[in-house]
């Protein structure tokens, strides 16, 4: 696919940034368990697996978006909706810079994916089976 819109590049970079953050969280939970610092090791291992799984899904979706696959929009948009709800809850409980960052990034990705140029660039059907 040639001539990708700049907004798609920004969206893919932000989704990759989210994936890196979740991978980092997963690694941090694993390190806590290995150091014996986790008060609930089983829960920490579950959260680590969840964080790594989300990171992998986001990386696959970013790759799909970059390649123009329309299937990749759905998991990315769904994840952004969940992050917006989570960030609004954080802001209601205790306003922090992290909540604002999460909210801004999620809104930027969501809006970016809904722009006509990004939709057109990711509207390609799946490749036919070989």
């Amino acid at each position: 696919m040639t001539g990708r819109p700049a907004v798609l590049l920004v969206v893919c970079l932000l989704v990759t940034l989210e994936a890196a953050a979740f991978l980092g969280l997963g690694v941090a939970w694993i390190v806590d368990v290995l150091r014996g610092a986790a008060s609930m090791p089983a829960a920490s291992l579950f959260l680590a697996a969840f964080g790594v799984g989300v990171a992998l899904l986001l990386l696959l979706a970013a790759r799909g978006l970059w390649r123009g696959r329309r299937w990749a929009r759905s998991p990315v948009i769904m994840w952004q909706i969940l992050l917006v709800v989570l960030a609004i809850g954080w802001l209601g409980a205790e306003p922090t810079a992290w909540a604002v960052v999460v909210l801004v990034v999620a809104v930027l990705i969501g809006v970016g994916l809904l722009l006509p140029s990004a939709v057109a660039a990711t509207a390609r059907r799946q490749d036919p089976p070989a």
Side-chain angles (χ1 to χ4, degrees):
M1 186 168 118
T2 60
R4 293 176 188 96
V7 70
L8 189 60
L9 173 63
V10 171
V11 165
C12 289
L13 288 174
L14 288 174
V15 171
T16 302
L17 177 67
E18 286 181 345
F22 272 87
L23 185 60
L25 284 171
V27 169
W29 279 310
I30 290 170
V31 168
D32 274 353
V33 170
L34 293 176
R35 286 186 178 168
S39 59
M40 297 185 339
S44 293
L45 288 175
F46 170 79
L47 288 171
F50 181 77
V52 171
V54 167
L56 291 175
L57 174 66
L58 289 174
L59 286 173
L60 286 172
R63 182 175 181 240
L65 288 172
W66 189 246
R67 291 181 168 195
R69 306 295 194 260
R70 67 180 178 179
W71 68 263
R73 288 191 313 240
S74 297
V76 172
I77 286 288
M78 187 66 223
W79 187 249
Q80 303 320 306
I81 291 169
L82 292 172
L83 287 179
V84 165
V85 170
L86 182 67
I88 289 172
W90 283 341
L91 289 170
E94 181 181 354
T96 63
W98 285 111
V100 173
V101 169
V102 169
L103 182 61
V104 168
V105 169
V107 169
L108 285 174
I109 291 171
V111 169
L113 271 182
L114 295 176
L115 291 175
S117 60
V119 171
T122 58
R124 211 169 84 190
R125 293 191 182 273
Q126 294 285 27
D127 293 331

